[in-house]
Amino acid sequence: MGAKSAPDQRSPAQVTPRRAAKRISGGVVKRKRAQPKAAKGKSAANALQKNRSWKLSYLSLYRASPLERIYLIKKGVPASEVKNLFVDLHIGQGLGLKALNLSTATVNKKAKSGGVLSSDESERVIGFAKLVGQLEAMVQESGDPTGFDARTWMARWLTEPLPAFGGARPADLIDTMEGQSLVSSALAKIESGAYA
């Protein structure tokens, strides 16, 4: 009694925007310079909005609450982070942007100016990063992830036609939330052994 709850056990009302972003980014939300505490009337969301130096943590994003992901979607994913996502996952920028139905010119322009994607664009990126986190969680829970590169496997799997999708590639489906849900279900079936 009276003991503090662990961060993962907080109710949605107790999750502040700063905590949500820090948890999802794997604790890599950093301030560019020391800033005083926000003045009365200024929220942590405003302070985070000014901070563009964050990196998605796929596993943390997968395990985050829907409210935490919604917060990041509404704030917008930095365009530079989208470019880093495709480099990190060994997916060509052209293929990645096309798969998520993102304009190359828009992403490049926003990345150059330090801008963020719209909510619709951010939702597709967050959903895709969550899929990568789902795969990373599957690998961790399998027992011995030694020698298995989840990100490289995901990049290859995304581009292979699958009978479960009528011969479509997972990359052909991830530009919509329904498509991402189908891909997530396919990953879950792979984990359960339903697909060989």
Side-chain angles (χ1 to χ4, degrees):
M1 286 206 154
K4 257 187 168 175
S5 296
D8 291 338
Q9 297 172 347
R10 293 182 182 173
S11 72
Q14 294 173 307
V15 176
T16 66
R18 177 86 177 145
R19 281 189 190 128
K22 187 171 183 180
R23 180 169 167 236
I24 292 172
S25 67
V28 187
V29 176
K30 301 176 198 169
R31 292 185 173 147
K32 289 184 179 179
R33 62 182 186 279
Q35 297 175 346
K37 285 190 176 181
K40 208 172 196 181
K42 288 192 176 189
S43 68
N46 289 341
L48 183 60
Q49 182 63 21
K50 293 178 184 175
N51 179 14
R52 303 277 189 255
S53 63
W54 61 284
K55 179 171 176 34
L56 290 175
S57 167
Y58 310 115
L59 194 55
S60 296
L61 190 57
Y62 172 67
R63 292 181 173 154
S65 74
L67 289 176
E68 291 170 322
R69 286 190 296 269
I70 289 168
Y71 169 77
L72 285 181
I73 289 166
K74 287 184 176 183
K75 285 302 169 190
V77 174
S80 59
E81 183 59 25
V82 176
K83 293 171 72 77
N84 293 336
L85 172 76
F86 300 130
V87 170
D88 187 41
L89 297 175
H90 314 292
I91 297 173
Q93 180 176 313
L95 172 65
L97 292 174
K98 183 178 179 187
L100 292 175
N101 195 21
L102 299 172
S103 162
T104 303
T106 300
V107 171
N108 287 337
K109 182 179 176 182
K110 288 182 178 182
K112 188 174 181 179
S113 67
V116 298
L117 300 180
S118 70
S119 292
D120 290 340
E121 296 164 333
S122 293
E123 185 170 34
R124 293 191 297 268
V125 171
I126 294 289
F128 175 64
K130 182 181 163 197
L131 290 171
V132 177
Q134 179 181 355
L135 178 62
E136 288 183 347
M138 287 168 45
V139 171
Q140 280 186 359
E141 293 164 6
S142 71
D144 184 17
T146 307
F148 183 78
D149 185 351
R151 295 171 187 179
T152 300
W153 183 90
M154 176 66 101
R156 188 175 53 247
W157 184 74
L158 284 170
T159 60
E160 294 176 356
L162 295 178
F165 300 142
R169 305 172 309 159
D172 299 329
L173 305 173
I174 61 172
D175 63 336
T176 65
M177 299 316 295
E178 283 296 316
Q180 288 182 4
S181 178
L182 280 173
V183 171
S184 177
S185 294
L187 285 172
K189 288 178 181 177
I190 289 170
E191 181 180 25
S192 71
Y195 293 146

